Amino acid sequence: MLRMLRKFFDFCSPKDRAKFYKSVALGVLEAMFGVLKILAAFFAISAVINREITTNTFILVLGCMLISTIGKMVINRFSQMLQTEAGYNTCAGKRIEIGEHLRYLPMGYFNDTSLGHITSVTTNTLEQTGDIATRAVMMVLQGSITTVVIGVGMLFFDVRIGLISLIGILIFFLFNKYTNHSVEKVAGEKIESDKDMVGVVLEFIQGIAEIRNYNIISQNSTRLSKAIERKTKVDIKAEIAAIPAVGVQMLICKLIGVVIAGASVYFCLNGTMELSYTITMLLGAFMIFEALDQAGVYTALLKIIGRGVDLVNEILSIEQMDINGEDIKPENRDIHLEHVSFAYENKTIIDDVTLDIKEKTTTAIVGPSGGGKTTITSLIARFWDVKSGQVTLGGRDVRDYSFDSLMENFSFVFQRVYLFEDTIANNIRFGRPEASMDDVIAAAKKACCHEFIMGLPDGYETVVGEGGATLSGGEKQRIAIARAIMKDAPIIILDEATANVDPENEKELTLAVENLTKEKTIIMIAHRLKTVRHADQIVVIDKGKIVQQGKHEELMKQEGIYKNFVSGRKQAVSWKIA
């Protein structure tokens, strides 16, 4: 139990940890006020037994009771507020810390499994930790402190009863440590089932269009149902695992209370304890373990808190790329890859690639799917670090740059656009939050999306759905281009940005791309002939290697992938329906 509490306190920020420590100090004070009730009972019992009931006695007893009640009430309020603030602030802070940590992880870390895990930890796990920690830490600490203070207080009444009380407390904590091992195992299962369920739900929602198109709803619904059913069973298992432990702990508390009461009566009968002390000890026997009894119920939950802390720390311990470089402003934007190789999970993706991309030129990267085209652009922008070789920007290794100063040189437009659930204006100014509304409109006009935006219910203040769900693919692409225009970075990476555009949007999107790429260094991954043929250089990638390189006219004179690619596109364009 102490180990779990220490782990949670270490997990907290120094500011929130200080609040917990203050609440512990207040808990000791609150427990002392609780002892006043036993003292008031002793004065009252002594007065009755000795027939010395006077006004002074009445005032003394009443005063002790009032001070005890009011003192506990006031201190408990402040103690609860401190613990509540500390618990929720800790979890809120960890969510932000995870978000900041994820910014600098290699892009290869992110996949459906990892996203489900991260989502589960930042939502379910931290929500549970915040709710449970606030109550469990408060109840366990308060119960333990109150019991120990009353036990120590009993030493002043009778050393023998005080020692029995403290031995009973020690037995309780030893048994508590033993029984909570079973709960710890289930706590891990509970967290894992949460993670799996969130991952399956995310996959189901994100792929709902494909699921419906291919009529595989029943198979995916079965998988979702199994994940939910597993979660339900594990939750029930966790509750069942806790019941015996909690039950035995409650029994121990009651039995120790009986032992104290029996010992008090025995000492009274053999003449070694006065009757007033005996009756007071009988009352104290059941008061001392009342708070510990409640604490025992919540100690099982500390295992869930501990497991949640472990999961958060696991994410925060994932090795980041080294981002602590220099804030560099390169003299030029020439890009050079020198014998670059890259592997992911022991599979070679890029194999000994050397490539020059001059400033303010257009480089088109083409090749079969899975050949490594996107990986090359990711290495240039340092989404991943090379396994061997070197990528330089302006003559400096990209690893010499601080990550933020490196990113200032790049804008990206991907085939799959993500818009945030916010206004269109804020989505456009995402790369430059301080931009004025005039700047937003100017960027939108260059991206050929001003007219359709003005046709929306609230214009630029229209809130788009999560991921841009309320807009068409072409509209989202143009807003993404407006965002890139707003950033005005000198290097533009286009990853099949126009691959799936419908004919009615193609003209506007093509014009938007032209406005974006004026006087820029362009690196494009493309499958459309018209976007490739005018490039300053075309790089053909296959199986992680550069297999062809040159201008369109040069490559058309060579037998190989590029000529086959162009011939295939021309043949596809010439197809007609009779």
Side-chain angles (χ1 to χ4, degrees):
M1 182 181 77
L2 292 175
R3 183 172 60 87
M4 287 293 107
L5 289 171
R6 193 182 310 115
K7 178 188 286 189
F8 180 72
F9 288 159
D10 290 341
F11 181 69
C12 299
S13 67
K15 182 178 178 181
D16 293 319
R17 192 182 309 130
K19 288 183 179 180
F20 274 115
Y21 289 160
K22 286 178 183 177
S23 72
V24 171
L26 288 174
V28 175
L29 191 58
E30 183 181 352
M32 290 179 177
F33 278 107
V35 172
L36 284 177
K37 290 184 178 179
I38 299 177
L39 196 61
F42 173 73
F43 291 143
I45 292 166
S46 297
V48 171
I49 292 174
N50 298 323
R51 300 180 182 274
E52 295 176 350
I53 302 175
T54 64
T55 303
N56 289 338
T57 304
F58 176 78
I59 292 173
L60 178 62
V61 172
L62 183 61
C64 287
M65 293 297 293
L66 283 174
I67 293 172
S68 175
T69 303
I70 295 172
K72 280 177 62 68
M73 188 185 303
V74 172
I75 291 174
N76 183 261
R77 178 185 179 279
F78 284 108
S79 179
Q80 283 193 29
M81 285 300 298
L82 284 170
Q83 293 194 24
T84 300
E85 288 177 7
Y88 285 117
N89 286 345
T90 291
C91 294
K94 288 299 175 181
R95 288 189 180 99
I96 295 171
E97 190 176 342
I98 288 172
E100 288 296 316
H101 188 78
L102 295 178
R103 288 179 60 196
Y104 303 113
L105 293 185
M107 292 298 290
Y109 170 76
F110 299 98
N111 52 46
D112 290 339
T113 302
S114 66
L115 288 176
H117 175 58
I118 293 166
T119 303
S120 176
V121 171
T122 53
T123 54
N124 287 5
T125 302
L126 280 172
E127 187 71 24
Q128 283 182 351
T129 302
D131 290 339
I132 295 172
T134 300
R135 178 165 291 273
V137 171
M138 180 177 66
M139 296 302 293
V140 170
L141 279 175
Q142 192 58 49
S144 302
I145 291 169
T146 300
T147 303
V148 171
V149 169
I150 294 176
V152 171
M154 282 186 165
L155 287 170
F156 292 96
F157 281 92
D158 189 285
V159 174
R160 297 166 298 180
I161 298 299
L163 289 174
I164 292 172
S165 302
L166 294 176
I167 291 170
I169 294 169
L170 180 62
I171 292 171
F172 172 89
F173 284 124
L174 289 174
F175 188 82
N176 175 269
K177 181 179 179 180
Y178 173 77
T179 55
N180 281 345
H181 281 302
S182 59
V183 179
E184 187 172 14
K185 294 178 183 178
V186 183
E189 278 188 70
K190 179 176 172 57
I191 299 292
E192 285 298 316
S193 67
D194 282 346
K195 181 188 77 173
D196 291 344
M197 187 187 74
V198 171
V200 172
V201 169
L202 277 176
E203 185 179 349
F204 184 86
I205 293 171
Q206 291 172 347
I208 191 66
E210 295 299 319
I211 291 170
R212 292 178 67 179
N213 287 340
Y214 289 95
N215 196 26
I216 52 175
I217 293 177
S218 59
Q219 296 96 309
N220 282 271
S221 295
T222 301
R223 188 175 170 215
L224 180 61
S225 298
K226 285 182 177 178
I228 295 172
E229 185 179 348
R230 183 196 171 203
K231 166 109 170 64
T232 303
K233 287 180 177 179
V234 171
D235 284 347
I236 294 171
K237 184 179 177 181
E239 292 295 329
I240 292 174
I243 289 172
V246 172
V248 173
Q249 286 173 175
M250 292 173 67
L251 180 62
I252 288 174
C253 290
K254 299 296 187 287
L255 288 176
I256 295 171
V258 170
V259 170
I260 292 173
S264 299
V265 172
Y266 173 78
F267 294 145
C268 180
L269 291 176
N270 68 16
T272 58
M273 182 182 287
E274 295 180 15
L275 181 59
S276 58
Y277 280 79
T278 301
I279 298 174
T280 303
M281 291 299 100
L282 289 174
L283 291 173
F286 296 99
M287 285 181 63
I288 185 173
F289 289 105
E290 179 184 1
L292 193 61
D293 197 1
Q294 292 180 359
V297 174
Y298 286 93
T299 51
L301 297 178
L302 292 179
K303 297 298 181 182
I304 296 175
I305 297 173
R307 182 57 184 151
V309 168
D310 290 339
L311 287 174
V312 172
N313 287 336
E314 283 173 15
I315 293 177
L316 294 175
S317 66
I318 298 169
E319 187 176 357
Q320 294 179 312
M321 296 190 301
D322 181 10
I323 58 173
N324 297 316
E326 303 174 46
D327 290 334
I328 301 171
K329 289 189 177 181
E331 294 181 2
N332 61 65
R333 267 75 183 188
D334 291 344
I335 298 168
H336 178 67
L337 285 76
E338 181 72 26
H339 296 296
V340 166
S341 295
F342 174 76
Y344 180 65
E345 293 184 349
N346 298 320
K347 179 182 178 182
T348 299
I349 310 296
I350 300 298
D351 187 10
D352 195 28
V353 167
T354 297
L355 174 65
D356 279 310
I357 300 173
K358 294 298 182 182
E359 183 178 33
K360 296 184 180 179
T361 62
T362 298
T363 298
I365 302 176
V366 300
S369 178
K373 302 184 296 296
T374 299
T375 302
I376 284 180
T377 61
S378 296
L379 292 172
I380 290 171
R382 209 193 165 197
F383 287 169
W384 293 312
D385 275 334
V386 299
K387 180 180 178 183
S388 62
Q390 185 182 48
V391 178
T392 63
L393 171 64
R396 295 288 298 272
D397 194 311
V398 293
R399 289 169 291 193
D400 294 339
Y401 290 73
S402 67
F403 196 77
D404 290 338
S405 70
L406 180 65
M407 285 299 100
E408 288 177 3
N409 295 283
F410 294 95
S411 285
F412 307 88
V413 181
F414 299 110
Q415 179 181 356
R416 184 178 177 182
V417 176
Y418 189 88
L419 299 181
F420 295 90
E421 190 172 1
D422 202 341
T423 64
I424 287 179
N426 284 340
N427 268 285
I428 291 175
R429 61 163 65 98
F430 184 74
R432 214 175 90 208
E434 75 284 358
S436 68
M437 196 65 209
D438 289 339
D439 291 335
V440 170
I441 293 172
K445 286 180 177 179
K446 287 182 180 179
C448 302
C449 54
H450 176 71
E451 289 186 8
F452 91 75
I453 292 172
M454 294 307 295
L456 296 172
D458 298 310
Y460 283 87
E461 296 305 312
T462 301
V463 177
V464 299
E466 184 179 354
T470 55
L471 301 176
S472 71
E475 290 169 343
K476 288 192 290 185
Q477 284 283 11
R478 280 181 276 164
I479 288 176
I481 290 171
R483 179 190 289 169
I485 289 173
M486 176 69 71
K487 186 178 180 183
D488 195 28
I491 302 170
I492 310 295
I493 294 179
L494 304 171
D495 191 347
E496 300 189 38
T498 61
N500 297 322
V501 178
D502 48 88
E504 25 316 353
N505 279 309
E506 184 173 6
K507 182 180 178 181
E508 288 83 358
L509 192 59
T510 301
L511 182 58
V513 171
E514 289 176 1
N515 288 328
L516 169 66
T517 56
K518 286 178 182 177
E519 297 297 311
K520 306 286 186 183
T521 303
I522 312 302
I523 304 169
M524 64 169 69
I525 297 172
H527 287 152
R528 292 192 173 198
L529 179 57
K530 65 175 65 175
T531 59
V532 171
R533 66 184 306 156
H534 299 300
D536 295 297
Q537 69 169 333
I538 299 167
V539 179
V540 183
I541 303 292
D542 184 30
K543 297 178 182 177
K545 290 179 175 289
I546 296 178
V547 294
Q548 288 181 286
Q549 186 174 354
K551 290 182 177 291
H552 171 74
E553 293 76 13
E554 297 169 349
L555 296 180
M556 286 301 295
K557 296 176 183 178
Q558 305 173 11
E559 294 298 326
I561 291 174
Y562 185 76
K563 187 175 181 180
N564 296 336
F565 160 77
V566 173
S567 300
R569 291 299 180 273
K570 285 182 176 178
Q571 186 177 9
V573 170
S574 67
W575 287 350
K576 293 182 180 179
I577 299 176

